[in-house]
Amino acid sequence: MKNVDSKSHVRGESIYLDDIPLLQGTLFACVYDSPVAHGVLKTVEVEEAEKSKGVVKIIRAKDLIGANQIGGILPDEPLLADGEVHFQGMPIALVLAETEEQARAAVKKIKTEIEPLEIITDPRVAFAKNDLIVPPKHFKLGDAANAFKTCEHVFEGRADVNGQEHLYIETQGAYSIPTEQGGMRVYSSTQGPTAVQRAVSKVTGLPMHLIEVDVQRLGGGFGGKEDQANAWAAMCAVGTQITKRPVKYALHRMEDMRMTGKRHPYSADYKIGFDKDLKIVTYEATFYQNAGASADLSPPVLERTLFHCTNSYFIPNVSATAYSCRTNLPPNTAFRGFGGPQGMFVIESAIAHAAESLNVLASEIQRKNLINDGDEFPYGQIAESEAKTSWTQADEKFDFARLQKEADEFNRENKFIKKGVALMPVCFGISFTKTPMNQARALVHVYTDGSVAVSTGAVEMGQGVNTKIAQVAARVFSLPIERIKVHTTNTLRIANTSPTAASAAADLNGRATQVACETILERLRKVAAELLKTENVSDISFLDGFIFNKNQPTDLDWVTLVNEGHMQRVNMSEHAHYATQGIHFDWGKAKGHPFAYHVYGTAIIGVTVDCQRGIYETDFVKTVHDFGATMNESVDYGQIEGGIVQGIGWMTMEEVVYDQNGKLRSNALSTYKIPDIYSVPKMIDIIPLKTKRKNLAIFNSKAVGEPPLMYGIAAYFAIRNAVRAFNSEQSPAFDAPFTPERVLMNLYSEAAKEMKAGK
Ligand code: MTE
Ligand code: LUZ
Ligand code: MOS
C-alpha cells in the first residue's frame, strides 16, 4: 500500500504551513536576534525600525503579558532576551509589519549595544567551570573499575562527535489567528502540538483551553520540531495577543540555521577491558554533552546516550557518566536517535581502537560480544535479543568474509584507491524513556455514509504515520483505505499529546486508534447480529465492506449497517486512550524496564576512498533489519533508506562549524553539505529479519523511525579502514565527521601530525 499522501505530494497539493490561506489583516513577523554569543544587553534601539514602512509593532521582553519563558523541562529559556544574551541567534525583538519584506527591512534597522562576556563553546571547558544544565547522570552494572585488574587487554582514549543540522525541507514557522475571549488558533509546524499549546499559554498568560493548536503535516522534523517549534508559535501568539491580528512567521533558511539548535556534539573518554578471548569484561565512559545555552531537551537526550552506551553488546561491568555542559551556542535539541547515536559512536570507537591495536577485525570483537536473551542492560532491563539472529542472517545473506576479502584484494592491486568495509550492529530501545509520556489518544467518527474520520496525537512529518493509522482503521473495520481520512492533529480533538517522537507515534497512536475502532465495531456487531437474527454476536464478522455471519457472506453491507446503527441511536464515535503497560524506570536507582521492546539489526557498509584527493563514495549498505511484522513495507523501506543516508551524512560530510565567538560558519547550504543524489550509497540492500516474537507494537510491527540512522556509523569506520589500508601507520583521532578534508589530512603521516598538533 502506498503512502496516503503520495498523490497530493507529487501534485504539490499537500498543505504545509506556508500553504494555509491567509486572513485579511495578517501581519508578518521577523526576529532581531543577537549578533553576539554572550553579553549584557545594554541598549536596544528600535526607534528607526518603528518608523520603518509598514511596521505595526515591535515587541520586546517587557511587552509580554504572560511569562517570558518557554523552557519545557527547565524554566531557563526566555522567549526574548532580557538583560543578557546567551548565544548568537538568540531572539531579542520581534517586528510585526504589514508585509514580510517590510518586517525584514525593519529588523535591519535595529541596533544593540552588548557588553561582551566570556564565550564558551567547548563542553569540556564548561565542565571544568562546573557549568552544568542538570546534575550528572550515571549508569552502573557490576564493578567496572575493579574488573580492569582481571583484563588481558585495556585500551583508553577519547572520541568526539559533532552535531548535525536538521535541515527539514520546511523551515520552522507558525500562524496564529485571534479567536473569541482573547483566545487564538495557532497553526504550527511542530512535532508537539501540546508543547506549543503550553508555551503559548505561558507567554500569553491564557489558559490552555483558549488555545487551539492545529498541525496538518510537517515538511520534516527529525526531532528539530519536538521542542523548538515552540518559540515561533509563541511569538506569533504574543503578536496576535498584542495586536489582535493574525500573525505569521515562516523562517528563512539562514534564520532557521542560525537561530535553532542541532544534534548535540559530544566529547567522550572511554576505557575498555577485554579477556584473552576478546570478550569485553568492563567499560567505562564519560560523556561531555554540548547542550548549548539552555536545557531544551538536553537532559533526556543525555539519558538516552547512557541507555545506548553499550549498543548491542553485553558487558558485565559498566560505569558510564554523562554531563550536560552549558555553552554559548543555540540550545541543542532532539535529533533522530536522541543521544543514542553519540553513545554508540563512542563504544564503536573503543572497539575499533582495540581491534587496530590487537590487529584483529573489529567485527570479530563485535560478534563475540553481542547481547543474548536474558543478558542485562546497564539500566536493568533484561534483553530479548535479536542481536545475534540479525548478525547471523546478515552474514548468511551477505557473506562478510567475502566482502572483506574483496576489499583486501582490491587494496592489494590499487595503490591510490582503497576500499574499506565496516559492520554496525544496532540495538535501540522503543518508548519515551520518561514513562508517563508513553500514552496516546485517538478520536474516531463513523459517518452515516460509512466513511471514517480519525484524529490522533500523531503528527505526520513524512515518516508515514498517517498511512499507518489509516491502515489500522481500515484493517479493524475491513474497509478500503479510501474510506478513511486521518485529519489534522488538533489540541481540541486530542488533548495532552506527547510529541511525535521516540519512533513511537505509530505504536502509541495506532493502538489508541485500534481501541477506538474496535469499540465502535463491537457496538455495530450487536446491531448486525439483531438484523441478521443471530443469537451469537461473535458469529458476526466484517470483510471488505460486507457483514459475514458464521463466515458466510450476507446481504448486509457496511453503509446499511451504519445507517441502521444511527437510527437505533448507537454511538458511532469513540475517543480512546492507550498507555504502554509494563514499563517503568527509577532514576534513584538508575534501573528499571524503560522500553516496550528493542529494535535490532546489523549493517555492513563498504566505501572507496580516493587517497590522492581524500574524497570517498559509499559503494553499498547491506542490512538485515528487524521490522517485526511490518505494517507497510514501502513506508518502512523508505524510513530505513532515509535513516541510513542521514546517518552517513552525520558521520561523513555534514559539518556544523561554530567559530570561537560562537558564530555559526556553516550557516547556509553552500557551507553545510548534506548527502545529495551524487553522494548517497550506490546500493542499499535491506532484508527483513524474520522473528516470531510478540511485542507491544501496533499489530506486532516494530518502530522504524530512528534505529536505521545508526547504521550510518559504519560509514565512519569503513572510511577509517580504507585510510589505514593506504597508510597503516595512521591511527586517526576518533573524531566525526570524517569529511574529505579530514580524510586527506589523515592519509599522510606528516599532515596528520601537523593536524594533531593543531597547525
Ligand atoms: N521521516 C521523515 N520523512 N521525516 C521526519 O521528520 N523524523 C524521524 C523519523 N522519520 C522523520 C522521519 C524521527 S526523529 C522520528 S522520532 C520518527 O520519524 C517519528 O515518527 P514515528 O514515531 O511515527 O516513527
Ligand atoms: N523524546 C523524548 C525522544 O522526549 N524522549 C525520548 O525518550 C525520546 N527518544 C527518542 C527521540 N525522542
Ligand atoms: Mo525523533 S528525535 O524522536 O523526533
Side-chain angles (χ1 to χ4, degrees):
M1 208 211 91
K2 287 212 176 85
N3 187 313
V4 292
D5 286 337
S6 296
K7 274 189 190 149
S8 62
H9 278 3
V10 296
R11 289 175 176 154
E13 291 168 357
S14 298
I15 295 173
Y16 297 85
L17 184 92
D18 216 17
D19 301 313
I20 296 172
L22 298 182
L23 293 179
Q24 206 171 11
T26 294
L27 294 175
F28 296 84
C30 188
V31 159
Y32 172 82
D33 60 294
S34 177
V36 171
H38 196 196
V40 181
L41 200 49
K42 288 287 190 193
T43 58
V44 184
E45 282 172 43
V46 295
E47 291 71 23
E48 282 303 306
E50 271 169 343
K51 282 186 259 163
S52 186
K53 188 163 176 246
V55 170
V56 171
K57 176 82 193 160
I58 296 181
I59 297 172
R60 301 273 321 280
K62 63 176 168 42
D63 301 317
L64 300 187
I65 293 163
N68 182 22
Q69 185 51 244
I70 55 163
I73 292 179
L74 293 179
D76 68 348
E77 194 174 355
L79 179 67
L80 295 169
D82 191 13
E84 243 187 61
V85 291
H86 307 291
F87 64 91
Q88 270 204 34
M90 184 174 184
I92 294 176
L94 183 71
V95 174
L96 304 178
E98 300 289 349
T99 72
E100 211 183 315
E101 293 69 26
Q102 290 168 344
R104 290 207 149 75
V107 160
K108 295 209 178 88
K109 297 180 181 162
I110 295 179
K111 290 198 176 62
T112 43
E113 206 183 311
I114 299 173
E115 189 180 300
L117 294 170
E118 187 193 5
I119 294 165
I120 293 174
T121 58
D122 180 338
R124 289 191 190 243
V125 173
F127 171 76
K129 293 182 181 279
N130 201 26
D131 201 353
L132 302 180
I133 300 271
V134 283
K137 297 280 157 107
H138 186 65
F139 274 7
K140 180 178 180 323
L141 182 67
D143 184 349
N146 263 318
F148 281 106
K149 294 176 194 150
T150 68
C151 288
E152 185 82 15
H153 313 287
V154 175
F155 303 96
E156 266 183 273
R158 167 174 167 158
D160 289 89
V161 58
N162 203 350
Q164 186 176 22
E165 164 62 45
H166 299 87
L167 224 80
Y168 23 66
I169 296 176
E170 180 193 32
T171 55
Q172 303 267 6
Y175 182 38
S176 95
I177 292 170
T179 54
E180 284 185 354
Q181 294 178 25
M184 52 200 67
R185 179 181 309 125
V186 183
Y187 299 96
S188 166
S189 180
T190 179
Q191 293 173 238
T194 295
V196 164
Q197 190 188 16
R198 284 198 196 107
V200 168
S201 166
K202 242 188 247 173
V203 297
T204 58
L206 292 170
M208 284 169 78
H209 73 187
L210 288 183
I211 299 154
E212 173 185 358
V213 179
D214 191 89
V215 186
Q216 176 82 58
R217 66 165 60 71
L218 318 186
F222 304 111
K225 296 170 182 170
E226 182 171 337
D227 206 54
Q228 299 213 349
N230 298 1
W232 324 108
M235 286 180 202
C236 292
V238 161
T240 292
Q241 186 181 34
I242 291 174
T243 65
K244 314 257 181 295
R245 287 170 69 170
V247 175
K248 180 174 168 183
Y249 191 14
L251 273 67
H252 280 187
R253 178 65 65 188
M254 284 174 78
E255 291 172 342
D256 188 306
M257 291 180 83
R258 184 174 75 234
M259 294 197 276
T260 67
K262 311 179 191 319
R263 184 189 292 285
H264 293 79
Y266 276 69
S267 185
D269 297 317
Y270 60 80
K271 186 173 173 189
I272 192 165
F274 296 84
D275 69 12
K276 60 177 180 357
D277 299 323
L278 296 181
K279 280 269 199 186
I280 306 174
V281 175
T282 174
Y283 180 59
E284 278 180 355
T286 309
F287 298 95
Y288 303 94
Q289 177 198 53
N290 191 337
S294 54
D296 193 90
L297 290 166
S298 294
V301 169
L302 187 81
E303 290 162 14
R304 203 176 261 277
T305 300
L306 290 181
F307 280 108
H308 295 312
C309 73
T310 56
N311 189 12
S312 296
Y313 310 112
F314 172 62
I315 307 179
N317 302 286
V318 176
S319 171
T321 307
Y323 300 99
S324 182
C325 309
R326 192 189 307 275
T327 59
N328 298 113
L329 300 181
N332 286 316
T333 194
F335 197 136
R336 209 169 191 173
F338 206 71
Q342 294 95 321
M344 291 185 194
F345 178 76
V346 177
I347 184 122
E348 294 304 327
S349 295
I351 289 172
H353 180 168
E356 291 168 15
S357 305
L358 299 170
N359 207 16
V360 298
L361 289 173
S363 54
E364 263 310 285
I365 299 177
Q366 291 172 318
R367 183 178 55 78
K368 285 188 170 156
N369 289 284
L370 293 172
I371 194 161
N372 272 316
D373 273 359
D375 285 342
E376 185 179 343
F377 287 102
Y379 46 91
Q381 187 158 340
I382 303 302
E384 285 189 63
S385 178
E386 308 292 358
K388 284 196 172 156
T389 45
S390 75
W391 183 286
T392 314
Q393 287 186 23
D395 199 7
E396 281 166 10
K397 298 265 160 47
F398 308 133
D399 193 349
F400 300 152
R402 176 180 59 86
L403 294 170
Q404 181 67 51
K405 198 167 142 238
E406 281 172 10
D408 292 342
E409 278 169 6
F410 181 93
N411 289 345
R412 267 196 296 279
E413 283 159 22
N414 292 277
K415 185 159 180 224
F416 286 110
I417 301 197
K418 296 291 181 188
K419 288 193 184 287
V421 297
L423 272 129
M424 182 69 193
V426 167
C427 165
F428 194 79
I430 302 300
S431 288
F432 290 94
T433 57
K434 189 174 172 195
T435 302
M437 291 176 79
N438 295 286
Q439 54 171 311
R441 280 155 294 279
L443 175 65
V444 177
H445 297 309
V446 177
Y447 293 97
T448 50
D449 67 352
S451 66
V452 179
V454 182
S455 300
T456 74
V459 169
E460 175 61 53
M461 49 180 165
Q463 87 279 39
V465 69
N466 280 0
T467 301
K468 289 184 178 178
I469 287 181
Q471 282 181 273
V472 171
R475 181 150 150 188
V476 175
F477 291 134
S478 196
L479 291 173
I481 202 89
E482 295 74 31
R483 310 243 54 197
I484 318 290
K485 170 66 183 168
V486 179
H487 282 271
T488 63
T489 317
N490 184 296
T491 53
L492 296 185
R493 269 175 272 125
I494 306 292
N496 309 323
T497 59
S498 291
T500 290
S503 306
D507 279 4
L508 297 172
N509 296 279
R511 291 199 69 156
T513 304
Q514 184 187 2
V515 173
C517 294
E518 281 173 352
T519 306
I520 295 170
L521 200 66
E522 279 321 298
R523 295 182 197 132
L524 289 172
R525 201 188 296 275
K526 282 195 198 121
V527 176
E530 271 173 36
L531 284 177
L532 296 170
K533 301 191 173 39
T534 303
E535 299 217 333
N536 208 344
V537 176
S538 63
D539 285 343
I540 301 295
S541 57
F542 300 79
L543 189 67
D544 296 338
F546 279 90
I547 317 309
F548 281 55
N549 190 2
K550 299 196 179 80
N551 293 323
Q552 296 304 309
T554 71
D555 290 339
L556 185 59
D557 63 61
W558 171 255
V559 177
T560 310
L561 175 65
V562 163
N563 273 287
E564 188 59 31
H566 184 61
M567 285 304 130
Q568 293 185 17
R569 295 182 286 177
V570 168
N571 177 8
M572 297 192 299
S573 296
E574 188 65 16
H575 183 275
H577 170 82
Y578 174 77
T580 316
Q581 297 303 294
I583 51 173
H584 51 88
F585 197 75
D586 175 358
W587 268 108
K589 301 192 181 80
K591 297 283 176 199
H593 186 103
F595 299 120
Y597 58 90
H598 291 84
V599 169
Y600 291 86
T602 301
I604 181 162
I605 294 188
V607 301
T608 303
V609 175
D610 174 337
C611 298
Q612 286 169 305
R613 294 174 183 80
I615 57 176
Y616 44 74
E617 291 180 332
T618 307
D619 301 323
F620 61 82
V621 179
K622 296 168 187 281
T623 174
V624 167
H625 181 83
D626 180 11
F627 286 75
T630 176
M631 282 199 66
N632 190 313
E633 246 182 36
S634 48
V635 166
D636 286 356
Y637 274 68
Q639 284 295 292
I640 294 170
E641 290 172 357
I644 287 171
V645 170
Q646 202 165 32
I648 294 177
W650 171 53
M651 281 284 108
T652 61
M653 60 198 298
E654 298 186 38
E655 191 176 26
V656 178
V657 181
Y658 288 97
D659 67 17
Q660 69 274 26
N661 295 321
K663 182 184 174 69
L664 181 67
R665 289 289 174 191
S666 51
N667 67 346
L669 285 164
S670 52
T671 43
Y672 188 78
K673 297 291 183 190
I674 65 158
D676 60 10
I677 194 68
Y678 301 105
S679 49
V680 296
K682 296 207 184 63
M683 181 180 69
I684 300 181
D685 198 355
I686 301 163
I687 294 182
L689 176 76
K690 301 272 189 260
T691 76
K692 290 194 196 70
R693 264 196 246 250
K694 283 265 165 299
N695 65 42
L696 290 169
I698 175 74
F699 294 145
N700 222 41
S701 65
K702 274 196 173 187
V704 71
E706 293 169 287
L709 180 128
M710 284 150 273
Y711 293 141
I713 292 173
Y716 174 92
F717 291 96
I719 293 173
R720 189 179 172 91
N721 290 339
V723 167
R724 285 171 49 83
F726 177 75
N727 183 345
S728 61
E729 281 174 33
Q730 287 300 82
S731 176
F734 292 101
D735 191 358
F738 227 149
T739 57
E741 295 94 309
R742 285 231 178 91
V743 170
L744 189 61
M745 299 293 268
N746 273 298
L747 285 162
Y748 300 93
S749 304
E750 286 310 310
K753 267 185 225 145
E754 282 179 15
M755 192 166 64
K756 270 190 187 151
K759 284 186 200 160

